[in-house]
Amino acid sequence: MTIVSVTGNLLSKLLPVFLLAFCLGSCSNEQVNDNEEQVLTKLSANSTKIGISSVSASTSQSPNVSGNTLDGSTSSRWSGFGDGASITYDLGSSANLDYVKIAFYKGDSRKTKFEVWIGNSTSNLTKIKSKTSAGSTSDFETFDLPNTNARYIRVIGKGYILNSGGSTTFWNSITKFEAWGSGGSVVVPPTGGDYPADVLGINSNTWKINSFTGSPGLSATYYDDITDASGISYNTYSDDNYFNTDGEWVFFKCYRGLGGSANSQNPRVELREMNNGNLASWSGDSGTHTMEWTVQVNQLPQDTDGDGGVLCFGQIHGPSTNSDGVEVDDVVRVQFIGDENQSSGSVSLKISGYVTEKQGGSQTFSGYSLDTTYNCKLVYSGGYIELYMNGSSVFRKEMEVDDLSENYFKVGNYLQSVKGASYTGSYGLVRIKNLSVNHN
């Protein structure tokens, strides 16, 4: 009896050790299936939000498209029907993933079933989580991930069950999504810190801010001067949807399908040159007029026809009609052109505007890339337009009109080829720093 008692006590003490050793030896690298989950790590206090380069879905219920999950609002969503309907997030480059935050549509009355797959190629993803949401909140829920390096995150929907019971309904709806960890290629501006006006060194005497209020979509309202919007101060204006900063760069984000100015109807988030608080206006045939800025273009939008993407990040604007009756309008536009919704890789530099389109046709130059820093200088002197990229002149052409007056610089994010397009969540993203203008 004593021996049996001692043996029983020993077994009761050693059994947890044996189980732990077994799990460490055989469970730590096991992939998730429908009945098992990989052993997860604790959430790191040092994780930051990882920028998302682009998002796509296997199916969408219009107007509930994939881009809606990145607008930070629970009033818009992606919805896709079917067991296996999926939404895929591209981080731009590999990042170390710690956890994801997902908000589900009607998440306080539904339990949503889903899987998380990750990898560095969309054709070779691995399932690392199978989960059901809590059904207790319509805001973010946090789901821990194994600390794994990956570029793509795919959420595969498996439908939902009402909290009140019933069978599975195969609608899948996400309102917000965030990835947390470290790395990735798209910088997400942190909360707080300097304001965009501080970082660029601008004020209402030197530049006017053209931007939007409201969430991207039908509720967005365009202002030719954002300070015309109620409650907005120039020096502290920052909006994560359109115009913000990480303390080094200022981010200009503009969505296809939003409204624009009365003259063009093309959406833009940009700066318009001012002179002592008045609209700047100078002549291109006297003096030398120079704008310099450092730029990265991180995302191209989808154009009106859906067959490409083009974005203007700097220009010289002229009069709609000069004193000789010539429709000058855009003197020159500096653009990148590539594929629709492109977020990495090679693009072409495109020079458009009156100086090319009315004088021989737009010109394009290869050898440029998204997510690459360029130091730009745009000069108008003696009737000639000249563009320098990283210190080298890449374009120079004379304006062949007599009246070269009423010009001004613009810089930022102008979606020039989306007039009349519907809102789909597609957007362009530009970051700028080191902005300066000189008139000599």
Side-chain angles (χ1 to χ4, degrees):
M1 294 295 294
T2 303
I3 294 174
V4 172
S5 176
V6 170
T7 304
N9 289 337
L10 286 172
L11 286 172
S12 66
K13 293 178 180 179
L14 292 174
L15 183 58
V17 177
F18 291 145
L19 291 175
L20 177 62
F22 174 79
C23 187
L24 290 175
S26 62
C27 298
S28 60
N29 293 319
E30 189 175 28
Q31 291 185 357
V32 174
N33 59 37
D34 289 338
N35 300 313
E36 298 173 297
E37 283 197 9
Q38 186 171 353
V39 177
L40 301 177
T41 58
K42 292 183 178 180
L43 305 183
S44 171
N46 296 321
S47 289
T48 58
K49 187 165 69 170
I50 301 172
I52 294 173
S53 177
S54 64
V55 58
S56 59
S58 62
T59 182
S60 297
Q61 175 203 34
S62 180
N64 303 318
V65 295
S66 59
N68 292 345
T69 63
L70 302 180
D71 64 13
S73 172
T74 56
S75 63
S76 62
R77 68 186 189 274
W78 163 74
S79 291
F81 183 77
D83 182 2
S86 66
I87 184 168
T88 304
Y89 299 90
D90 179 2
L91 308 181
S93 64
S94 294
N96 186 42
L97 301 176
D98 186 11
Y99 56 93
V100 293
K101 297 168 71 174
I102 308 176
F104 296 96
Y105 177 60
K106 295 187 176 180
D108 55 351
S109 61
R110 300 174 175 178
K111 294 181 175 68
T112 297
K113 298 184 288 185
F114 65 98
E115 300 170 353
V116 179
W117 295 62
I118 64 173
N120 285 303
S121 168
T122 54
S123 62
N124 187 25
L125 301 177
T126 300
K127 183 171 73 171
I128 48 83
K129 196 169 191 66
S130 182
K131 190 71 175 176
T132 300
S133 67
S136 59
T137 179
S138 58
D139 211 334
F140 276 129
E141 293 184 53
T142 299
F143 303 97
D144 192 16
L145 303 178
N147 293 139
T148 305
N149 196 265
R151 171 173 175 172
Y152 298 96
I153 305 172
R154 177 170 294 165
V155 179
I156 298 180
K158 310 299 288 184
Y160 70 87
I161 301 175
L162 292 173
N163 288 352
S164 57
S167 59
T168 299
T169 300
F170 288 104
W171 274 108
N172 307 281
S173 297
I174 293 174
T175 60
K176 298 192 295 183
F177 178 90
E178 292 178 357
W180 287 71
S182 59
S185 65
V186 179
V187 177
V188 175
T191 303
D194 295 329
Y195 292 102
D198 298 327
V199 173
L200 288 179
I202 62 176
N203 56 55
S204 58
N205 288 324
T206 57
W207 293 95
K208 179 166 64 70
I209 304 172
N210 303 329
S211 189
F212 296 85
T213 61
S215 298
L218 295 177
S219 62
T221 301
Y222 173 76
Y223 289 89
D224 262 330
D225 184 343
I226 195 61
T227 59
D228 289 340
S230 176
I232 289 183
S233 170
Y234 189 102
N235 293 334
T236 58
Y237 170 61
S238 179
D239 188 319
D240 287 344
N241 289 317
Y242 310 109
F243 186 70
N244 50 30
T245 184
D246 64 355
E248 178 185 7
W249 296 90
V250 170
F251 295 77
F252 295 73
K253 189 174 185 180
C254 188
Y255 292 80
R256 156 198 157 119
L258 301 192
S261 69
N263 291 330
S264 78
Q265 292 301 309
N266 284 305
R268 78 283 305 284
V269 178
E270 63 180 4
L271 304 179
R272 195 271 194 211
E273 184 189 5
M274 304 289 281
N275 180 15
N276 293 323
N278 299 308
L279 298 177
S281 179
W282 40 265
S283 176
D285 58 5
S286 62
T288 298
H289 312 275
T290 305
M291 179 173 71
E292 296 185 71
W293 73 109
T294 302
V295 67
Q296 276 192 28
V297 177
N298 304 121
Q299 173 89 20
L300 296 179
Q302 178 185 16
D303 72 11
T304 306
D305 300 324
D307 60 357
V310 61
L311 181 154
C312 175
F313 53 90
Q315 63 177 298
I316 298 173
H317 205 286
S320 296
T321 304
N322 68 13
S323 61
D324 295 325
V326 178
E327 296 181 357
V328 178
D329 201 20
D330 297 349
V331 174
V332 62
R333 295 190 304 273
V334 182
Q335 303 168 307
F336 275 166
I337 183 171
D339 297 328
E340 64 176 53
N341 301 314
Q342 185 177 340
S343 59
S344 63
S346 298
V347 292
S348 294
L349 174 69
K350 182 180 181 181
I351 308 298
S352 298
Y354 189 96
V355 73
T356 58
E357 293 174 89
K358 302 296 184 180
Q359 299 179 178
S362 298
Q363 295 187 23
T364 58
F365 305 88
S366 61
Y368 295 86
S369 300
L370 299 182
D371 300 329
T372 302
T373 300
Y374 297 99
N375 295 312
C376 309
K377 183 167 72 170
L378 187 57
V379 181
Y380 199 173
S381 179
Y384 281 83
I385 307 292
E386 189 162 14
L387 174 67
Y388 298 81
M389 300 290 282
N390 290 340
S392 297
S393 177
V394 296
F395 171 83
R396 187 174 188 269
K397 192 173 181 67
E398 184 179 13
M399 278 286 287
E400 298 171 358
V401 294
D402 294 330
D403 181 7
L404 303 180
S405 62
E406 300 182 49
N407 303 294
Y408 53 91
F409 288 114
K410 300 179 83 173
V411 66
N413 185 349
Y414 176 37
L415 306 189
Q416 194 268 333
S417 297
V418 298
K419 183 177 180 179
S422 60
Y423 175 75
T424 61
S426 176
Y427 63 88
L429 179 63
V430 177
R431 65 179 76 178
I432 287 172
K433 61 181 180 179
N434 304 328
L435 173 64
S436 66
V437 167
N438 290 291
H439 300 286
N440 298 316

